Amino acid sequence: VALTEDRLVRGLQPIRNFVLAQAIFHFMELGLLDAVAAANRIPIAVLARSRGLREDRLRGLLRYLANEELVGLDADDGVSLTERGRELVAVRPWYTLLVGGYLPAFAQLSEVMKNGAGYASRDGGHVGEGSCGISQHDALPMTRRLIDRLDQPPGTIVDLGCGDGSYLLDLCRQLPGVHGLGVDPEPESVAAAREKATQQGLGDRVSLYVGSAASVPDLGGLRGPLCFITAFVLQEVLEQSGRDAVLDLLQKSFTAHPDAKWIVIEVDHRPDDDAVMGHGLGLAYYNPYYLIHKVTEQRLEPVRFWEELYREAGLSVLAMEYPDSRYDSLGLKVGFLLSRA
Ligand SMILES: C[S@@+](CC[C@H](N)C(=O)[O-])C[C@H]1O[C@@H](n2cnc3c(N)ncnc32)[C@H](O)[C@@H]1O
């Protein structure tokens, strides 16, 4: 096939988007998006000084983003966000997760495909932060709706794999009197969670520990009834330690706390479902999400896998929840409310 300019432009679109995704992520990470959004319009020299940046390089980044119609540069040397630029504010956690969290994994794709290769790595702090940010739109409201179905509100929420804690802290803020216990193996995430708890005045209601779901601290003294939460975390334990370990975690926890409830949020594994992959959100989010899960230490499974595992653990599914379809109509994120059968 002869190389024409049309074909060259088409062939380079993924590279354009590859650079654009990273430029946007760093624009967010450096606090520039928030600063420009808050000011409406800000002189570039002031922006550079306030963020401690080299003005010449900042000008280069802003010119690049202006060419992509995300910012506007005016004749008085000011910068503002365009309509498309303003839309980025709400989608920031997706950049934190997929670019900040998984850039190392994408860079290692060739390496990890080879026979005998290990897992691709990721940036755990950004994964936890991005995931919790996205959860604000789906997993958190789904969890809230599942909690609202309980006869009795929980006394303590035990969030296993709590990431940066924002999910647990939001629930504790929304449910006055509820105590929170969060556990995550990433020290950076737990440190961020502790800082947020203090900032939000929840330090006395929420305890946070570095650890894995299997090494939960003694829950004996906690105020009941307990409600465990694993949001996008059983998929991690499943690949790290196997199906029996997930089964063991559920069985042991319910033996120790027979009246507890457990909320699981997982993503249905349907990468070969044309209805999903032909959809805009399917291609923009779930397709890269499924790829990531093939090469990192996590394992997605279809809903029936989880349902069988709960049955084997002697648990009943009391209710299921899905994201608000105005935001995500694919129904791939699933919330289960579990109790002893
Ligand atoms: C995708 S994030 C989910 C964070 C949060 N639960 C949410 O819904 O947004 C997965 C989290 O699980 C944590 N994790 C990984 N392995 C774990 C394990 N064995 N036990 C508990 N948490 C684990 C990771 O550090 C990460 O914070």
Side-chain angles (χ1 to χ4, degrees), residues 252-264:
K252 276 197 179 134
S253 307
F254 277 99
T255 302
H257 308 284
D259 299 328
K261 298 289 184 287
W262 194 306
I263 293 172
V264 176

Side-chain angles (χ1 to χ4, degrees), residues 127-128 131-132 135 161 163 167 184-186 212-213 231-233 236-237 240:
V127 168
S131 178
C132 283
S135 291
Y167 190 104
D184 200 282
E186 286 289 336
S212 80
F232 313 107
V233 170
E236 307 251 359
V237 181
Q240 288 163 13

Side-chain angles (χ1 to χ4, degrees), residues 235 238 266-272 290 294 299-310 320 332 334 336:
Q235 54 180 264
L238 184 62
E266 275 300 328
V267 178
D268 194 2
H269 195 223
R270 278 162 49 195
D272 38 21
Y290 287 147
K294 273 288 160 202
R299 176 143 54 101
L300 297 179
E301 289 289 351
V303 163
R304 67 172 179 283
F305 169 95
W306 295 109
E307 289 173 336
E308 270 164 35
L309 192 139
Y310 304 147
M320 288 170 78
L332 296 172
V334 189
F336 304 91

